[in-house]
Amino acid sequence: MKAIETTGIVNPQGQISLDEPLMVESGRRVRIVVLIADESETDPDDDPIETVREGIRQGWHEAMTGQTYPISQLWDGIDGD
């Protein structure tokens, strides 16, 4: 079994509308688990999809334009104590 995590919104009829289409074979049966956050519950790792996309675009742009650092420099200045 393959797992796909995505987000969506429940409409007034109780149907789920996904934020992005699933890239699976049409007509295929799926099993769905719905996780609903409490009103007061916020997940600091649950960034909006557009925020995530923009971060990926920026990282890709930096990589393609040579705005990178050697991995050996990533640990410079980090105190291991």
Side-chain angles (χ1 to χ4, degrees):
M1 187 175 287
K2 179 181 178 181
I4 298 172
E5 183 176 341
T6 189
T7 56
I9 192 163
V10 179
N11 69 20
Q13 291 77 36
Q15 298 171 324
I16 298 172
S17 180
L18 301 178
D19 293 334
E20 297 290 328
L22 297 178
M23 296 299 156
V24 298
E25 180 183 328
S26 177
R28 190 138 186 214
R29 301 258 329 142
V30 298
R31 183 179 272 178
I32 299 169
V33 175
V34 178
L35 304 174
I36 303 171
D38 293 333
E39 290 293 327
S40 61
E41 190 178 329
T42 58
D43 183 352
D45 294 328
D46 194 14
D47 292 328
I49 289 178
E50 193 49 46
T51 301
V52 172
R53 284 184 179 153
E54 183 54 36
I56 292 170
R57 283 185 200 108
Q58 179 181 347
W60 184 254
H61 173 75
E62 290 172 3
M64 298 307 293
T65 58
Q67 300 174 42
T68 60
Y69 298 97
I71 197 157
S72 60
Q73 288 183 358
L74 295 178
W75 297 107
D76 289 352
I78 296 178
D79 189 0
D81 293 336

mmCIF file of all heavy atoms in Angstrom, residues 22 24-25 28-32:
data_model
loop_
_atom_site.group_PDB
_atom_site.id
_atom_site.type_symbol
_atom_site.label_atom_id
_atom_site.label_comp_id
_atom_site.label_asym_id
_atom_site.label_seq_id
_atom_site.Cartn_x
_atom_site.Cartn_y
_atom_site.Cartn_z
ATOM 1 N N LEU A 22 -4.514 14.412 -7.070
ATOM 2 C CA LEU A 22 -3.675 13.248 -6.813
ATOM 3 C C LEU A 22 -3.151 12.717 -8.141
ATOM 4 O O LEU A 22 -3.895 12.620 -9.112
ATOM 5 C CB LEU A 22 -4.477 12.149 -6.115
ATOM 6 C CG LEU A 22 -5.032 12.477 -4.737
ATOM 7 C CD1 LEU A 22 -5.839 11.290 -4.216
ATOM 8 C CD2 LEU A 22 -3.924 12.834 -3.769
ATOM 9 N N VAL A 24 -2.561 9.799 -9.454
ATOM 10 C CA VAL A 24 -2.780 8.351 -9.455
ATOM 11 C C VAL A 24 -3.695 7.992 -10.613
ATOM 12 O O VAL A 24 -4.377 8.852 -11.171
ATOM 13 C CB VAL A 24 -3.375 7.849 -8.116
ATOM 14 C CG1 VAL A 24 -2.436 8.104 -6.960
ATOM 15 C CG2 VAL A 24 -4.723 8.470 -7.847
ATOM 16 N N GLU A 25 -3.732 6.726 -10.918
ATOM 17 C CA GLU A 25 -4.572 6.219 -12.000
ATOM 18 C C GLU A 25 -6.046 6.527 -11.726
ATOM 19 O O GLU A 25 -6.566 6.264 -10.640
ATOM 20 C CB GLU A 25 -4.346 4.703 -12.092
ATOM 21 C CG GLU A 25 -5.127 4.003 -13.139
ATOM 22 C CD GLU A 25 -4.877 2.492 -13.076
ATOM 23 O OE1 GLU A 25 -3.767 2.098 -12.704
ATOM 24 O OE2 GLU A 25 -5.810 1.748 -13.399
ATOM 25 N N ARG A 28 -9.253 4.456 -9.663
ATOM 26 C CA ARG A 28 -8.665 3.564 -8.671
ATOM 27 C C ARG A 28 -9.292 3.794 -7.303
ATOM 28 O O ARG A 28 -9.518 4.915 -6.903
ATOM 29 C CB ARG A 28 -7.164 3.833 -8.617
ATOM 30 C CG ARG A 28 -6.397 2.858 -7.837
ATOM 31 C CD ARG A 28 -5.131 2.496 -8.539
ATOM 32 N NE ARG A 28 -4.504 1.428 -7.776
ATOM 33 C CZ ARG A 28 -3.220 1.289 -7.654
ATOM 34 N NH1 ARG A 28 -2.416 2.128 -8.260
ATOM 35 N NH2 ARG A 28 -2.732 0.309 -6.955
ATOM 36 N N ARG A 29 -9.615 2.735 -6.581
ATOM 37 C CA ARG A 29 -10.161 2.851 -5.227
ATOM 38 C C ARG A 29 -9.060 3.269 -4.277
ATOM 39 O O ARG A 29 -7.900 2.861 -4.428
ATOM 40 C CB ARG A 29 -10.744 1.522 -4.756
ATOM 41 C CG ARG A 29 -11.822 0.994 -5.624
ATOM 42 C CD ARG A 29 -13.237 1.147 -5.193
ATOM 43 N NE ARG A 29 -13.498 1.155 -3.778
ATOM 44 C CZ ARG A 29 -14.423 1.948 -3.241
ATOM 45 N NH1 ARG A 29 -15.103 2.771 -4.005
ATOM 46 N NH2 ARG A 29 -14.674 1.904 -1.967
ATOM 47 N N VAL A 30 -9.395 4.105 -3.299
ATOM 48 C CA VAL A 30 -8.436 4.565 -2.308
ATOM 49 C C VAL A 30 -9.023 4.398 -0.910
ATOM 50 O O VAL A 30 -10.239 4.311 -0.747
ATOM 51 C CB VAL A 30 -8.037 6.045 -2.528
ATOM 52 C CG1 VAL A 30 -7.349 6.235 -3.873
ATOM 53 C CG2 VAL A 30 -9.244 6.962 -2.422
ATOM 54 N N ARG A 31 -8.167 4.354 0.063
ATOM 55 C CA ARG A 31 -8.565 4.329 1.470
ATOM 56 C C ARG A 31 -8.156 5.682 2.046
ATOM 57 O O ARG A 31 -7.041 6.141 1.819
ATOM 58 C CB ARG A 31 -7.835 3.200 2.188
ATOM 59 C CG ARG A 31 -8.236 3.039 3.619
ATOM 60 C CD ARG A 31 -7.476 1.900 4.226
ATOM 61 N NE ARG A 31 -8.217 0.664 3.990
ATOM 62 C CZ ARG A 31 -7.791 -0.522 4.367
ATOM 63 N NH1 ARG A 31 -6.639 -0.656 4.958
ATOM 64 N NH2 ARG A 31 -8.534 -1.586 4.149
ATOM 65 N N ILE A 32 -9.053 6.324 2.767
ATOM 66 C CA ILE A 32 -8.816 7.690 3.224
ATOM 67 C C ILE A 32 -8.858 7.759 4.749
ATOM 68 O O ILE A 32 -9.777 7.227 5.373
ATOM 69 C CB ILE A 32 -9.862 8.653 2.643
ATOM 70 C CG1 ILE A 32 -9.769 8.628 1.111
ATOM 71 C CG2 ILE A 32 -9.683 10.062 3.176
ATOM 72 C CD1 ILE A 32 -10.893 9.330 0.420
#
